[in-house]
Amino acid sequence: MADREPGAAMKMGVAPSLTTTPWQQVVLMLSRVWAWAFLGLMIIFFVIAVPVASNGAVNFLTLRNSQNILVAITPILLLGLGQTFVIISAGIDLSVGWVMSLASVLAALAIRAAYNGGAPLFLSVLIGFAAALAGACLVGLFNSVIIAKLKVPAFIVTLGSSFIVRGVALLMSENTTVIGLPAGIRSYGNDALIYLIGGEGGGLYFLIRPEVSGDLLRRMDPIFPFPVVATAIVVIIAIFLLRKTQFGRHTYAIGGSLEAAIRTGIPVERRFIQVYMLSASTAGIAGFLSTLRFTAGSAVIGDPLLLASIAAVIIGGVSLFGGAGTVMGTVIGALIIAVLTTGLVMLNVPSFWQFIVVGAVVILAVLIDQSRDLIIGRGKAG
């Protein structure tokens, strides 16, 4: 599948087939680039299909629309980043959606309490971030200890903890949205690094939101909103962890063959704990950023994002069998989902068709994954 870690089959202790037919070679090549090609074809299709604006501009390729797509993928990508490590290690984390919701509530409660207690805005935001991350890591520790120490299947543990976390989030929020936060935090979640105002009287502004109104405000486009920048930083860290550290190599090895990893002396239990805490941490960051963006804490905001995040990971090339995949693959998978849904909305396609199309893409990704596995001789396609 696209964007698999080079040499992933060898890392799992299984060498690819030495002899392949020309047709098999074509399938292998397509499996590595199909996600990129599919993304490019989708963009071309929507550029042609989406009606142009009254001034003749191409609606789908506008700067504003591209930034909206980046903002839309932020929570899905953050959930998917942690899920990438988990699935590469041949696990699953079904709690991340509700961990995000809990983190959102904790961040909102902490910010409100700190600010009302006299803390400055910036310090209140830092306290909110610490509360969100601490709550998320606590859930990750709970999941990982049961999985690693008690050998309970990850599916069961994270499914059960998702119900627990859901109840805690609703309880702490009193089954309503946490409001009353300082209005200033909205700038942290919605401002951008750069602002561009096109046309007469416009200009380029760095780290300063220009005070404009009327026509200038309508022509102002934010570039690289702060949540997108924060997510990009997390992506870079995740790439480094997976590709350049012993932790990343161990994650591949554990997913490739747990028994072999144990025999070679890899601290499997410790790695499981780290992987699931990492997954919870990225969900906590997603919850914190959502609180800043909407100036409120929601106990249900992450619920619909779990399946989308798993879909992004699968589309991006992370094998459900473990041992293969990359962070950049997950980024491409999230972009595919965001571009697909945004384009269908702009074409006024009913929402149920959006679900059908995304589901079909996920099935296609799995079929490509299985085709590649059969060819390289992993023997796990069935």
Side-chain angles (χ1 to χ4, degrees):
M1 191 179 292
D3 292 304
R4 301 171 81 98
E5 177 68 11
M10 295 301 295
K11 291 180 180 179
M12 295 179 288
V14 181
S17 301
L18 296 178
T19 58
T20 55
T21 66
W23 169 246
Q24 289 174 328
Q25 292 174 1
V26 170
V27 173
L28 285 173
M29 182 187 69
L30 291 177
S31 72
R32 296 187 182 100
V33 302
W34 85 272
W36 295 87
F38 186 71
L39 178 62
L41 289 173
M42 274 200 312
I43 293 174
I44 294 173
F45 170 78
F46 287 127
V47 166
I48 297 173
V50 173
V52 298
S54 57
N55 60 0
V58 180
N59 274 338
F60 192 77
L61 276 187
T62 61
L63 178 61
R64 183 169 301 180
N65 193 49
S66 67
Q67 296 305 303
N68 289 339
I69 290 174
L70 291 179
V71 172
I73 73 168
T74 293
I76 296 174
L77 181 54
L78 284 169
L79 296 184
L81 287 175
Q83 197 78 260
T84 298
F85 285 80
V86 172
I87 296 179
I88 287 176
S89 69
I92 192 71
D93 190 350
L94 300 180
S95 66
V96 289
W98 288 106
V99 171
M100 175 183 171
S101 299
L102 177 63
S104 176
V105 170
L106 289 173
L109 293 173
I111 292 172
R112 187 174 66 183
Y115 190 77
N116 291 341
L121 181 63
F122 181 71
L123 179 58
S124 299
V125 171
L126 286 181
I127 292 173
F129 176 70
L133 199 59
C137 286
L138 187 61
V139 178
L141 181 62
F142 173 82
N143 287 338
S144 61
V145 167
I146 296 177
I147 293 168
K149 299 293 185 180
L150 302 181
K151 314 301 181 187
V152 181
F155 181 91
I156 301 300
V157 176
T158 57
L159 178 62
S161 68
S162 69
F163 284 99
I164 296 173
V165 174
R166 176 181 185 177
V168 172
L170 293 171
L171 182 65
M172 297 191 70
S173 66
E174 298 179 348
N175 201 22
T176 187
T177 303
V178 180
I179 57 175
L181 279 66
I185 71 167
R186 185 173 180 81
S187 61
Y188 289 93
N190 294 275
D191 283 358
L193 286 181
I194 304 171
Y195 287 93
L196 175 64
I197 301 178
E200 184 178 355
L204 196 63
Y205 302 83
F206 294 89
L207 294 176
I208 298 176
R209 182 184 177 93
E211 298 295 332
V212 295
S213 59
D215 183 59
L216 288 178
L217 180 61
R218 287 189 292 271
R219 288 192 278 121
M220 184 174 71
D221 292 314
I223 304 175
F224 302 130
F226 290 152
V228 174
V229 175
T231 303
I233 293 172
V234 177
V235 168
I236 293 171
I237 294 173
I239 291 174
F240 175 78
L241 287 175
L242 194 57
R243 297 185 61 181
K244 301 297 184 180
T245 67
Q246 187 181 63
F247 167 69
R249 291 190 292 271
H250 287 176
T251 302
Y252 280 114
I254 291 170
S257 174
L258 178 60
E259 183 178 350
I262 294 173
R263 289 180 177 178
T264 55
I266 292 176
V268 172
E269 292 185 357
R270 187 193 313 165
R271 295 304 183 218
F272 273 135
I273 291 173
Q274 293 169 342
V275 163
Y276 282 92
M277 288 191 68
L278 176 62
S279 177
S281 297
T282 59
I285 295 172
F288 170 72
L289 292 177
S290 74
T291 296
L292 297 185
R293 182 184 176 192
F294 299 109
T295 323
S298 171
V300 296
I301 194 166
D303 180 29
L305 300 179
L306 168 64
L307 296 181
S309 68
I310 295 177
V313 173
I314 295 171
I315 292 171
V318 178
S319 175
L320 286 172
F321 303 117
T326 65
V327 170
M328 280 307 300
T330 299
V331 173
I332 295 300
L335 277 172
I336 286 175
I337 292 175
V339 169
L340 188 59
T341 54
T342 300
L344 292 176
V345 167
M346 296 182 75
L347 290 175
N348 295 317
V349 175
S351 59
F352 56 83
W353 279 109
Q354 298 173 30
F355 294 124
I356 292 172
V357 173
V358 172
V361 173
V362 171
I363 294 174
L364 174 64
V366 174
L367 291 175
I368 292 175
D369 181 57
Q370 290 190 337
S371 299
R372 185 180 191 276
D373 292 342
L374 284 171
I375 293 173
I376 67 174
R378 283 173 59 187
K380 294 183 179 181

